[in-house]
Amino acid sequence: MKVWVTGLSAAALLGGALAMGVAIQDDGKIAPGLRVAGVPVGGLTREEALAALAGRLPPPHPVTVVAGENRWTVSADQLGWRVDPEASVDTALRLSRERTLLQRVRGWAGQANGENLPLVERVDVAAALDGIKRLTRHLYAEPKNAVITFDKTAKRYAVLPDSPGRRPNAAAAANALANEPSRTTVTVPVTEWKAQRTAQALRAQVERGNRLMRPLTLKLQGSERGGTLSALQVADLYWVRPEGIVPDEKTIRAAFDRMAAQLDQPAQNARYVLQDGQLVKVAGRAGRVTDRARALAAFRQAVLDPAVQSVVLPSKVSSPTLTVAELPDPKRLELIATGTSTYHGSSRERRINVATAAAKIDGVVVPAGENFSFLAALGGITPENGFVGGLIISGGRTVDGLGGGVCQVSTTAFRALYAAGLPVVERNQHSYRVRYYEPQVGFEAAVYDPGLDLKMNNDTGAPILIRTVNNDAKSTLEVQVWGVKPKRSVTVSPAVILSRTPHPPAQYVFNPNLPAGVTRQVDWAQDGYSLYITRTIKDEKGIRTDKVSTVYKPWRAVYEYGPRG
């Protein structure tokens, strides 16, 4: 009986040992007690564990991307994040294989220690980099230099501010996220650097530019004549640049020339005057004009010195270039050429200016070889010189302005001098075809003081005398050229019209100063034209033909209307 019991116990022990040996062998399953993300996977094969996890994977968590003061919260999968259940299960299988004998026995006996393995998270660096770049692309910026500008509203120089350059380091943020895929915040380093030219650096130049922008009064040494440039006119004479104040030499010279023309009192040559129906010689008189080189230097220096409010320009005496002795005997003078025009329908103011301008140039003598200057003969279009307001062409409109009607005289003078064969030195056209100068289209000359002159060279070999005959009652004007008649013939041809452009539709402009319901026309329509005039001169040198071209703009009618009744 003992033998049988002993044999039975030995057999049981042997069977249990065999069973435990089988149990602790690696069967390819996950060890008991293991969980992945809280999901029990112990005792499951790889495929069974993956199937158990498939329906219980967590959704992508939110990730906040921070770049400077900017924040964006996006789903982690937009930055290349994903869970890797295969890697998680493989980790569980690896731990199962690496168990000690004791751990296996305990697991076989149902005494295994439970362990929860986290899900493996991964971030695709390339996808993270692309996502972060999309979020931060507007932050990329090259540095922007400060810029000096002119504020047209405030009429002052100002500085447009600079802005720094910015470069977000998306790669650093992507790598940080890849190293710690579970993080919920990732910071993008942003590098900033200053612009080369800052507003602070330009402020001194702007302040100096604004100090220079002040009215500047000019006076002619030894004369009572003067004139003033406005602050904006002075501001036009220089550039405010980052490197400093840069004079605009061309504009400075042009402004000086305009002011010199206003200040100069040129000598008056000997001339003829009509006394008791007879031409009598009258001596010229000296004048005073700017000493060009020294005056220009003084003007330039004054413009660039903000402390200077007034400058006296150096001057010199201007002597007549034609003396009484050089004037031909009035009895030898012959009529060389005549120009005529009519001014029917002119206003009272326009008639005054026509009469004044005609009287100013009457009796002017142009020495041989010198230029006739209409503005110089006129002496300036100013109230002090007898001129009044009238319609002029300015800024693309026919508007009230000083000296309207003077061009009637310059046009008539051009016709006479052109017919006399004098070379054209300067001649300017009107913007549109003016009815007062019909029907001789193209035979006209616009003047404006200062800036636009009529100049023609006396090539007759002797002094010439300009005479005017103005008949206000008949609205006719005649300009005569007298002198020693040159041995040549001049044939003037009518204008050749190359093209014609219809005028635009009328424009209506509200004028609150007009009575209610009143409409008045202030500009008149004219078609545009491209044309030229020619003359043929025959003398001992041969036969030659010259041409003067004109392009008139198409001009719209303009009506002003008052408030609606």
Side-chain angles (χ1 to χ4, degrees), residues 354-369:
V354 169
T356 301
K360 294 289 183 184
I361 70 169
D362 186 37
V364 168
V365 176
V366 185

Side-chain angles (χ1 to χ4, degrees), residues 5-292:
V5 172
T6 302
L8 183 60
S9 298
L13 289 172
L14 179 61
L18 289 172
M20 184 177 66
V22 172
I24 62 176
Q25 288 181 356
D26 187 0
D27 58 1
K29 293 183 179 181
I30 299 172
L34 287 182
R35 298 186 306 278
V36 174
V39 179
V41 292
L44 301 180
T45 65
R46 188 176 191 276
E47 290 71 22
E48 291 170 339
L50 289 174
L53 288 172
R56 303 179 65 178
L57 296 176
H61 58 277
V63 178
T64 299
V65 180
V66 180
E69 298 180 355
N70 301 274
R71 301 173 71 89
W72 305 268
T73 298
V74 297
S75 178
D77 59 346
Q78 295 181 37
L79 301 177
W81 176 90
R82 66 180 179 85
V83 292
D84 190 347
E86 290 88 355
S88 303
V89 171
D90 289 343
T91 299
L93 287 169
R94 178 178 56 78
L95 291 176
S96 298
R97 291 193 299 271
E98 294 175 352
R99 288 178 301 167
T100 65
L101 179 60
L102 180 60
Q103 288 173 327
R104 291 173 185 266
V105 171
R106 287 178 175 173
W108 174 76
Q111 298 176 356
N113 293 326
E115 185 177 356
N116 186 35
L117 301 178
L119 268 173
V120 175
E121 299 177 68
R122 299 191 186 281
V123 169
D124 182 333
V125 174
L129 180 62
D130 184 61
I132 294 171
K133 279 186 175 180
R134 281 199 306 271
L135 292 174
T136 60
R137 60 189 172 191
H138 73 282
L139 298 180
Y140 285 84
E142 291 298 317
K144 186 177 180 181
N145 286 329
V147 176
I148 297 173
T149 186
F150 188 79
D151 188 330
K152 293 182 179 179
T153 302
K155 295 181 173 55
R156 304 285 289 173
Y157 286 99
V159 180
L160 297 180
D162 57 287
S163 59
R166 288 190 304 271
R167 186 171 293 117
N169 191 342
N175 287 326
L177 191 58
N179 291 334
E180 190 181 346
S182 62
R183 68 192 305 165
T184 57
T185 300
V186 61
T187 300
V188 183
V190 179
T191 303
E192 287 194 357
W193 66 100
K194 287 185 177 181
Q196 283 186 326
R197 191 178 300 130
T198 64
Q200 184 178 2
L202 298 183
R203 197 158 289 118
Q205 307 298 355
V206 167
E207 289 174 356
R208 178 169 174 79
N210 285 329
R211 288 198 306 272
L212 285 174
M213 193 170 59
R214 79 288 184 201
L216 181 62
T217 298
L218 284 71
K219 297 180 179 179
L220 185 65
Q221 180 187 37
S223 168
E224 296 299 319
R225 305 193 78 167
T228 300
L229 292 174
S230 69
L232 289 180
Q233 287 175 319
V234 174
D236 194 39
L237 305 181
Y238 57 87
W239 302 99
V240 181
R241 291 181 173 157
E243 61 271 23
I245 303 298
V246 180
D248 185 339
E249 302 294 352
K250 182 178 180 181
T251 308
I252 285 177
R253 182 174 290 276
F256 171 79
D257 289 342
R258 289 195 303 270
M259 294 304 295
Q262 179 179 331
L263 300 177
D264 283 351
Q265 293 176 295
Q268 191 174 65
N269 284 331
R271 58 193 294 164
Y272 299 99
V273 297
L274 197 63
Q275 291 183 0
D276 299 327
Q278 299 291 323
L279 288 175
V280 177
K281 296 181 181 181
V282 175
R285 65 167 181 262
R288 183 165 290 276
V289 296
T290 50
D291 186 337
R292 301 289 298 182

Side-chain angles (χ1 to χ4, degrees), residues 12 23 46 113 143 171 186 209 253 285 306-307 319 338 354 356 414 434 443 447 467 474 480 485 505 534 563:
R46 188 176 191 276
N113 293 326
V186 61
R253 182 174 290 276
R285 65 167 181 262
S319 300
T338 299
V354 169
T356 301
F414 170 72
V434 179
F443 291 87
V447 295
R467 295 301 315 277
K474 295 183 178 180
Q480 303 168 348
K485 205 166 189 176
T534 59

